[in-house]
Amino acid sequence: MPALVLGALGVVYGDIGTSPLYTLREAFTHTGLPLDEPTILGILSLAFWALVIVVTLKYVMLVMRADNRGEGGVMALGTLAHRGLGSTLGSRAVVALAILGMALFYGDSLITPAISVLSAVEGLKVVTPALESFVVPITLVVLIVLFVFQRQGTGRVGIFFGPVMAVWFATLGVLGAIQLVQAPDVLRALNPLHGVELFFLHGWVAFVTLGAVVLAVTGAEALYADMGHFGRAPIRLAWLYFVLPALLLNYFGQGAMLLHHPETLENPFFHLAPEWAQLPLVVLSTAATVIASQAVISGAFSLTRQAVQLGYLPRREIRHTSEHEVGQVYIPRNNWLLLVGVVILVVGFGSSSNLAAAYGVSVTGAMAIDTILAAVVAWRLWRWNPVVVVVAFSAFLVIDLGLFGATLLKVPEGGWFPLVIAAAVYLLMTTWRRGRAILADRLYADALPMDLFLQRVSPQSPQRVAGTAVFMTGNPDVVPHALLHNIKHNKVLHERVVVLTVIIEELPRVSPQKAVYVEKLGKGFFRVILRYGYLEQPHIPRALELCRRYGLHLDMMETSFFLGRETLIPSKTAGLPSWREPFFILLSKTALSATEFFCIPPGRVVELGTQVEI
């Protein structure tokens, strides 16, 4: 358990743990609020209760109960909610929300590395203003090195993440406690009435300030998303007994300093430290933000992998960077796209204050989606009283929507960026999912049933040749197009024919007992169905070796794989909207070949093409 708690510190809490670098500063910098006692106490009160209600009560105590066989995240939550709903309309709404939640995460995965590393390096300006011109170049160098290193995986340096973050949180607590001892009166902010008073005193401006207060809870969804790596108990223990106290001490320490030294508003976090400790604090902050960025980037890779497995995205090259941890993957194309996006953000916005204007929109939107999906799970799967569900989750949703509404005010100042990214990803995912469904209908609409085909097969026709042929198909009950094309053009059938279907279940992993199904159809035909969880990597040759226990012995050197390759052409018939057809065709061309994705030996593959109107 201690090792898991330490590991959770290094992976789960990087994002939310680096929020003190900029949260209180942004609450005053762009809102025009006076730097007086009622305002400071009000903002501290809002930050405190946001951490208690949104993170502790909603995520740590409630949402983390909704695990899909130990896995968390919006995909797991969407799967559970989908399982609980019987109606088609409700299921479609749940799927749409899950896709939107994934899309919003991608916007967050771009901004988090940029704002985190930039805010840490900006500490150099506190050490000496002469270094200000070096902030952006140093930030870019750190980020480029971070993304280049992704191909090595997190395993090699992951052992240091936990200890570094433990030192980071201890430093947060100590720096805050020193100021708090000198001005303990700031603890009055624990009273929620100070947060209420802020709205009475400043009205609309106080609501605008929520857009900065939300920065204190960015990264809360990581607690739930990374549950499958560490388990519920270690994450809860780390939050309740270490991370939350350290964050609160630091926020209240910054508040105490601002009460008595308002001139430190330029960068209250780094002014917590004495001059001799500011440069080491910059180094430690940079290390912490790099770890936070690493966790978000790895999360983006993991989410992409799940989306590919479930059919929400085209197949991608996915490299496993660990022999022991299935979740440690590297996706080259996504890595370089993320790097380009992060570099554009750093150069375009130039400072963490400007980036803060774009931060929070995607996070709060994802939080609201989590609340809605969790309410469905509580109602349909946990069988909670509907009245309790409405009362409890309505309270959470009101807070989420309030924070989301406040961050929407940032749209003209840069909040449009994560929304554009989310909209593009949502369009991409829905186009791919809908296009694949239409393609499947086109391919199998007039397909020949397998039992009818077998009735027509005789010992004399077609001619049988030695060896085994494996035909992959999405529908195991019909004859694959590649098989019919092979008979049509080559006039032969192999002695043994395996009709192979791969099914990705809406589960993290499939038990070995249910992973392989073999059925003898007669006349040398076999139906094989392989099942994988969305966190598992399909490996066809390895899975076919397991068929031996079911009486099907395959020699890879005598086995040929016949794959269909569809050439898509636009169609005026009902199907995808005409404006989406080019997108789907382009996405299909970028998809990784089935040979590579399913780890099939290239020398054993025969591809047979066909044209399909979409």
Side-chain angles (χ1 to χ4, degrees):
M1 182 69 76
L4 289 175
V5 172
L6 189 63
L9 286 177
V11 176
V12 177
Y13 295 107
D15 191 357
I16 198 170
T18 53
S19 295
L21 285 165
Y22 43 77
T23 298
L24 282 191
R25 180 192 68 199
E26 296 308 315
F28 290 98
T29 302
H30 297 292
T31 59
L33 287 174
L35 194 60
D36 55 18
E37 182 176 297
T39 306
I40 292 173
L41 293 179
I43 290 176
L44 282 177
S45 183
L46 291 176
F48 170 77
W49 287 105
L51 288 168
V52 170
I53 296 175
V54 175
V55 184
T56 308
L57 293 182
K58 191 180 90 171
Y59 277 101
V60 175
M61 297 300 179
L62 186 58
V63 176
M64 285 182 67
R65 293 183 56 195
D67 67 287
N68 185 15
R69 296 194 177 185
E71 297 293 336
V74 68
M75 286 298 302
L77 195 57
T79 300
L80 291 174
H82 184 270
R83 190 181 304 163
L85 288 174
S87 65
T88 303
L89 182 60
S91 297
R92 287 179 178 176
V94 163
V95 170
L97 284 174
I99 294 175
L100 182 57
M102 286 190 289
L104 289 169
F105 180 85
Y106 283 106
D108 180 39
S109 64
L110 281 172
I111 298 180
T112 295
I115 191 173
S116 297
V117 177
L118 194 54
S119 61
V121 178
E122 282 174 345
L124 291 173
K125 295 189 295 184
V126 177
V127 177
T128 171
L131 295 175
E132 182 173 358
S133 60
F134 294 95
V135 168
V136 170
I138 291 175
T139 299
L140 291 175
V141 170
V142 171
L143 288 170
I144 290 172
V145 171
L146 172 64
F147 278 95
V148 169
F149 189 79
Q150 292 304 310
R151 69 179 66 186
Q152 304 298 327
T154 60
R156 296 187 180 183
V157 295
I159 190 173
F160 300 107
F161 285 3
V164 170
M165 292 307 293
V167 173
W168 168 252
F169 285 115
T171 303
L172 290 183
V174 170
L175 291 177
I178 292 173
Q179 294 294 327
L180 199 55
V181 169
Q182 298 175 9
D185 53 325
V186 77
L187 289 174
R188 289 177 293 161
L190 294 174
N191 187 340
L193 294 179
H194 286 286
V196 176
E197 183 183 8
L198 186 69
F199 284 90
F200 279 109
L201 291 175
H202 301 286
W204 176 252
V205 179
F207 179 73
V208 174
T209 306
L210 285 178
V213 172
V214 75
L215 298 175
V217 297
T218 54
E221 69 279 5
L223 280 70
Y224 178 53
D226 288 314
M227 185 167 58
H229 294 287
F230 301 100
R232 184 185 296 115
I235 293 176
R236 282 179 172 172
L237 289 173
W239 173 257
L240 293 173
Y241 296 104
F242 195 43
V243 177
L244 179 60
L247 290 175
L248 293 178
L249 282 172
N250 196 267
Y251 282 126
F252 278 84
Q254 290 186 47
M257 185 176 62
L258 289 174
L259 274 176
H260 301 284
H261 301 282
E263 70 277 5
T264 61
L265 180 60
E266 171 207 2
N267 204 320
F269 174 80
F270 285 101
H271 280 293
L272 286 175
E275 289 187 10
W276 63 266
Q278 286 176 351
L279 186 57
L281 185 59
V282 170
V283 175
L284 178 60
S285 301
T286 303
T289 54
V290 165
I291 291 172
S293 303
Q294 172 68 55
V296 172
I297 295 167
S298 298
F301 292 162
S302 179
L303 194 64
T304 299
R305 178 169 175 257
Q306 295 179 30
V308 168
Q309 299 288 63
L310 291 175
Y312 294 123
L313 287 174
R315 293 187 295 262
R316 290 284 183 268
E317 179 187 0
I318 300 174
R319 301 179 189 174
H320 291 261
T321 59
S322 172
E323 296 181 0
H324 308 288
E325 295 294 333
V326 69
Q328 291 186 15
V329 295
Y330 168 66
I331 305 178
R333 186 179 301 176
N334 287 51
N335 186 65
W336 305 125
L337 287 175
L338 283 173
L339 174 59
V340 171
V342 169
V343 168
I344 290 174
L345 282 172
V346 172
V347 174
F349 285 86
S351 72
S352 61
S353 290
N354 293 335
L355 267 173
Y359 204 24
V361 181
S362 55
V363 174
T364 52
M367 287 180 177
I369 290 173
D370 287 344
T371 299
I372 295 171
L373 295 177
V376 174
V377 172
W379 171 43
R380 302 293 293 182
L381 293 184
W382 298 345
R383 303 298 181 184
W384 281 19
N385 188 305
V387 176
V388 175
V389 172
V390 171
V391 172
F393 287 93
S394 293
F396 289 130
L397 189 60
V398 166
I399 295 173
D400 291 336
L401 293 178
L403 295 174
F404 181 61
T407 57
L408 283 179
L409 299 174
K410 300 179 177 182
V411 169
E413 302 173 0
W416 55 269
F417 185 85
L419 291 181
V420 168
I421 296 298
V425 173
Y426 184 84
L427 173 64
L428 184 152
M429 297 175 78
T430 52
T431 298
W432 180 253
R433 184 174 174 84
R434 178 59 182 154
R436 291 299 298 178
I438 293 173
L439 180 59
D441 291 340
R442 296 277 196 275
L443 287 173
Y444 301 116
D446 300 319
L448 180 65
M450 180 60 71
D451 53 357
L452 183 59
F453 172 79
L454 289 175
Q455 292 176 13
R456 300 177 180 177
V457 174
S458 67
Q460 295 78 27
S461 177
Q463 182 180 348
R464 308 299 284 260
V465 296
T468 301
V470 177
F471 294 89
M472 296 190 67
T473 177
N475 187 341
D477 297 320
V478 301
V479 182
H481 280 268
L483 193 155
L484 295 176
H485 286 182
N486 184 52
I487 295 176
K488 178 180 179 181
H489 295 289
N490 298 324
K491 314 297 184 183
V492 296
L493 266 180
H494 286 71
E495 287 179 337
R496 286 192 303 179
V497 176
V498 177
V499 178
L500 175 65
T501 300
V502 176
I503 298 176
I504 306 298
E505 301 283 1
E506 292 187 346
L507 300 170
R509 296 173 183 84
V510 173
S511 64
Q513 294 78 15
K514 299 180 179 179
V516 179
Y517 170 81
V518 177
E519 179 183 0
K520 294 182 180 180
L521 301 177
K523 300 183 178 180
F525 279 72
F526 295 82
R527 179 184 288 131
V528 175
I529 299 177
L530 305 179
R531 288 182 168 83
Y532 294 91
Y534 60 75
L535 288 181
E536 297 177 295
Q537 174 63 45
H539 194 291
I540 300 302
R542 193 179 299 157
L544 291 178
E545 288 292 327
L546 300 177
C547 294
R548 294 177 179 272
R549 68 182 66 168
Y550 302 101
L552 178 59
H553 298 269
L554 298 178
D555 183 352
M556 284 295 118
M557 298 305 296
E558 296 182 0
T559 300
S560 299
F561 293 83
F562 289 80
L563 307 179
R565 177 178 286 273
E566 301 87 16
T567 299
L568 306 180
I569 55 177
S571 169
K572 295 183 179 179
T573 60
L576 274 179
S578 58
W579 62 273
R580 280 196 173 194
E581 287 179 352
F583 286 109
F584 179 69
I585 293 173
L586 179 61
L587 288 173
S588 297
K589 291 179 179 178
T590 65
L592 188 70
S593 70
T595 302
E596 294 181 77
F597 185 77
F598 292 112
C599 305
I600 303 173
R604 310 303 306 172
V605 173
V606 178
E607 290 191 346
L608 300 172
T610 182
Q611 285 191 340
V612 182
E613 291 187 350
I614 191 68

